[in-house]
Amino acid sequence: MAGSDEKNAGKRPSRAAIRQVAVLVGAILLISSLHYLTDPRYVVLHGIYQRLYYGPVILGAYWFGVRGGLLTALVTSLAYIPHIEITWSMNPPYEASQYVEIVMFYVAGLFVGLLADHQRKLTAQYARAAASLERANRELQESHEQLVRADRLSALGEMAAGLAHELRNPLAGVTGALEIIASQVPAGTPQAEFSGIARKEVGRLEDLLNRFLAYARPRPPAPRLANLGELVGHVVALLRPEVERQSVSIDTAGAQPWPLLRVDPEQIEQVILNVLLNAIQASPRGAVVQVRHHVEGGQVIIDVVDEGPGIPEELRARVFHPFVTTKTKGTGLGLAVSARIVNSHGGSIDARPDAGGGTCVRIQLPQAPDGASGSGAPPVTGQP
Ligand SMILES: Nc1ncnc2c1ncn2[C@@H]1O[C@H](COP(=O)(O)OP(=O)(O)O)[C@@H](O)[C@H]1O
Ligand SMILES: [Mg+2]
């Protein structure tokens, strides 16, 4: 109550404040009418009524501070003084004692108001302290979790990277053997179908291992001058089957002319692939995924915008952590690998809600030193 009054000071009064004023006015009116309607012979009753006035004065001071207390005392005395003059002017000592009582209304209003103001200030201070304590606590917990995760990851990562490395050779052997089998069984037979399934699954395993190794053992970037348009073009061509399967289209028209970057082209293609693939997978049928770019303060900013459901707020910070996935067949490594690559290029990546309701993944990379624009690059049209 007190807090909302404070917030509303200088603004329109809140509903609660209006209710409180109504209570005060009602109480003063009620007590005053008792005064005016009770026969002066009932001195004891009048003594009680007169002290009842302390109720609204104290409440006014409690609710609205010193100013509220003094104002309620003023309204109370204005309501009471005519009664004193009409009823007690014949009895000067009693009349004087009534005026003393009125002074006491102001004293009560002042003191209770001072206490209420003080308490309100303390409450606000306490709330601020509690909020900053909670923030600090949350940050501490987050950094602790990150630390634990990083620690676990580095141990787990080393072990798993070794294992993944060991698995690669036998998998290559299996792929080779499956290819031989496939070449020897006639097409259309169940054997051909099964070996096809086996090859697809082995392919998936290999892909997972490669991604995992890229994350666990990243190689340092080997930068050279590259045209962003060409990189995007390669990726769009690679993704064509995925684009057709999902019935979406990729619009890169908004990103031309393309700037030159000094990057490791393979690694940046990997990033664009991971981000575009997520955008395609998140898109409903018939949707458009847009690739846009602009240059700002020496940074090339690439936005991949989709019309999907967006990333839930609580997941947004974590999607760049390894193994965070919401997909049944996801690895949770795409964005983690991308973040690692972009960071090793001195850039950054983040995911934000797009104004259209989908997701905008923003990749920032330093522009090539000469800042040249690759306007001569072939235009890339991603429309399937
Ligand atoms: N464009 C997007 N729209 C909605 N969710 C996304 C998008 N990109 C990433 N995500 C979320 O981030 C998670 C992690 O993505 P990623 O690291 O690429 O792993 P994966 O794709 O294997 O799940 C996804 O499972 C998904 O929940
Ligand atoms: Mg992905």
Side-chain angles (χ1 to χ4, degrees):
M1 201 177 346
S4 68
D5 295 341
E6 198 152 271
K7 256 187 239 154
N8 280 291
K11 293 187 207 156
R12 275 180 46 203
S14 67
R15 273 162 175 263
I18 293 171
R19 233 186 347 256
Q20 287 162 345
V21 169
V23 168
L24 295 178
V25 171
I28 293 170
L29 281 178
L30 181 73
I31 299 166
S32 302
S33 43
L34 287 171
H35 267 298
Y36 287 97
L37 298 178
T38 306
D39 193 308
R41 275 178 302 165
Y42 299 110
V43 181
V44 174
L45 280 184
H46 277 273
I48 292 172
Y49 298 158
Q50 173 197 350
R51 275 148 199 124
L52 278 181
Y53 275 135
Y54 284 107
V57 170
I58 288 171
L59 268 184
Y62 178 67
W63 284 336
F64 302 108
V66 170
R67 275 189 296 178
L70 293 180
L71 192 67
T72 322
L74 177 70
V75 175
T76 306
S77 44
L78 288 180
Y80 187 42
I81 287 172
H83 174 69
I84 300 175
E85 286 303 318
I86 294 166
T87 318
W88 307 116
S89 56
M90 302 302 155
N91 185 348
Y94 192 77
E95 189 186 5
S97 78
Q98 300 306 292
Y99 279 108
V100 169
E101 200 76 47
I102 282 183
V103 173
M104 294 315 288
F105 293 162
Y106 286 89
V107 172
L110 178 69
F111 280 107
V112 175
L114 280 174
L115 283 176
D117 282 344
H118 183 64
Q119 185 228 340
R120 202 158 301 163
K121 224 176 281 166
L122 283 182
T123 309
Q125 269 173 8
Y126 175 76
R128 272 196 300 274
S132 74
L133 204 69
E134 200 190 299
R135 213 170 26 247
N137 200 9
R138 212 172 29 239
E139 280 166 13
L140 204 70
Q141 205 167 339
E142 269 168 22
S143 60
H144 174 72
E145 272 167 22
Q146 263 171 21
L147 218 69
V148 169
R149 201 179 307 122
D151 191 39
R152 216 180 288 153
L153 259 181
S154 71
L156 193 81
E158 247 163 66
M159 234 171 64
L163 188 68
H165 215 68
E166 289 302 311
L167 280 174
R168 256 172 144 188
N169 290 339
L171 270 183
V174 173
T175 309
L178 283 171
E179 261 155 27
I180 294 170
I181 294 174
S183 69
Q184 294 189 351
V185 294
T189 58
Q191 284 87 340
E193 191 192 335
F194 292 145
S195 78
I197 292 173
R199 263 186 305 162
K200 214 171 104 197
E201 291 303 312
V202 171
R204 232 159 60 78
L205 270 180
E206 275 176 335
D207 180 53
L208 174 64
L209 286 182
N210 288 338
R211 275 163 184 269
F212 179 74
L213 284 172
Y215 181 76
R217 296 230 187 110
R219 67 172 171 80
R224 57 187 172 83
L225 219 53
N227 181 289
L228 182 60
E230 275 166 27
L231 305 187
V232 174
H234 285 161
V235 174
V236 170
L238 266 177
L239 286 174
R240 196 141 286 165
E242 198 69 25
V243 161
E244 273 160 22
R245 196 165 34 247
Q246 295 278 119
S247 298
V248 297
S249 51
I250 301 178
D251 177 9
T252 56
Q256 292 167 37
W258 301 96
L260 286 177
L261 298 168
R262 183 171 291 284
V263 293
D264 184 317
E266 264 177 44
Q267 292 190 347
I268 295 305
E269 274 184 16
Q270 175 80 62
V271 172
I272 298 169
L273 180 99
N274 293 350
V275 172
L276 260 179
L277 190 61
N278 282 344
I280 294 168
Q281 288 169 345
S283 294
R285 296 184 86 76
V288 181
V289 175
Q290 291 190 55
V291 184
R292 299 191 288 243
H293 91 262
H294 65 278
V295 179
E296 197 180 293
Q299 300 269 313
V300 177
I301 296 169
I302 307 154
D303 285 337
V304 177
V305 183
D306 65 53
E307 299 171 14
I311 305 177
E313 166 112 49
E314 67 279 6
L315 198 66
R316 213 171 295 142
R318 291 195 302 124
V319 289
F320 294 97
H321 295 184
F323 310 118
V324 172
T325 181
T326 54
K327 301 169 189 168
T328 39
K329 287 191 173 175
T331 60
L333 284 171
L335 289 180
V337 170
S338 304
R340 188 167 258 192
I341 292 174
V342 171
N343 291 340
S344 71
H345 279 77
S348 64
I349 181 170
D350 66 82
R352 53 189 72 193
D354 181 62
T359 302
C360 169
V361 175
R362 172 164 288 193
I363 304 161
Q364 292 199 40
L365 291 167
Q367 201 181 9
D370 60 359
S373 152
S375 46
V380 180
T381 50
Q383 306 290 343

